[in-house]
Amino acid sequence: MSLYEIAFSGQLLPGARLEQVEANLSKLFQADAQRIAQLFSGRRIVIKQNLDFAAVEKYRQAMERAGAQVEVRPMPVDVEEIELAPPPVEAAPAPSESAAAPQSLKVAPRDEYMAAFVDVEAPDFGIAPVGADLQYSRTPVQTPALDLSQFSLAPLGSDMSERRRATDLPAPDTSHLKLVD
């Protein structure tokens, strides 16, 4: 079975406007403007790979309806890679409830890039069985005994603003005073 990849280099179809294509791709990929701007950087960006012909055609048609000119290429099939491919890693059994710390799992590298991480030990948290409770049970917290008898509530309609300051009082009436030389 042949597999394909679909890539975009920022090229527009004839007659398409950049603003409209950006808006269409934003809707299509449900992405923000920053991610869409990365698509128009001029670099070749692989949108999706390892697709069969029917799936890559759906992507191509959707992108072309949006106004973007895409490139579809068959994925290279390396005979040596198929023969030398490591056997798939078996799924780890679900951790038992008595296990305190997760176990480490070594995975065979899938390519040259991942071969650099062959000596890295990562915890294997596994997958919980269907219907398992994923939260730890919590012990009920005892509410503290507080004496709130010294507090009271203001009557309905009371003014609950700050206490008035001395500067908020009206100025005293000094009209009856006179200054004598």
Side-chain angles (χ1 to χ4, degrees):
M1 182 170 110
S2 297
L3 297 177
Y4 300 89
E5 73 178 12
I6 186 166
F8 180 63
S9 300
Q11 302 295 321
L12 305 179
L13 290 176
R17 291 189 351 248
L18 177 64
E19 298 83 20
Q20 185 63 42
V21 174
E22 286 178 341
N24 291 343
L25 290 178
S26 179
K27 288 179 190 174
L28 181 65
F29 292 121
Q30 299 176 350
D32 59 356
Q34 181 181 6
R35 288 190 183 248
I36 297 301
Q38 290 175 351
L39 289 175
F40 290 93
S41 66
R43 295 186 336 246
R44 182 178 183 273
I45 298 175
V46 176
I47 303 296
K48 194 82 171 169
Q49 58 186 2
N50 294 330
L51 296 170
D52 61 357
F53 184 75
V56 81
E57 271 301 301
K58 286 181 184 178
Y59 272 90
R60 185 189 61 76
Q61 289 174 1
M63 295 278 293
E64 286 181 352
R65 273 195 305 264
Q69 184 176 353
V70 295
E71 177 184 352
V72 175
R73 286 189 186 170
M75 295 287 297
V77 178
D78 192 8
V79 176
E80 293 176 8
E81 185 178 310
I82 294 173
E83 292 174 1
L84 300 177
V89 178
E90 294 182 19
S96 64
E97 291 188 25
S98 62
Q103 298 173 336
S104 294
L105 175 69
K106 286 205 174 199
V107 179
R110 69 171 185 256
D111 55 17
E112 295 170 5
Y113 176 75
M114 293 305 290
F117 301 101
V118 89
D119 294 327
V120 175
E121 290 189 18
D124 177 25
F125 292 108
I127 298 176
V130 176
D133 188 11
L134 299 178
Q135 282 190 325
Y136 297 111
S137 60
R138 295 183 180 178
T139 57
V141 177
Q142 189 93 13
T143 55
L146 299 174
D147 180 23
L148 303 176
S149 61
Q150 66 213 19
F151 298 109
S152 63
L153 295 175
L156 183 66
S158 298
D159 183 15
M160 299 293 291
S161 63
E162 293 181 23
R163 180 175 268 157
R164 294 184 186 263
R165 290 176 249 140
T167 58
D168 291 344
L169 297 175
D173 183 21
T174 58
S175 62
H176 63 282
L177 299 176
K178 293 184 182 176
L179 186 59
V180 178
D181 286 329

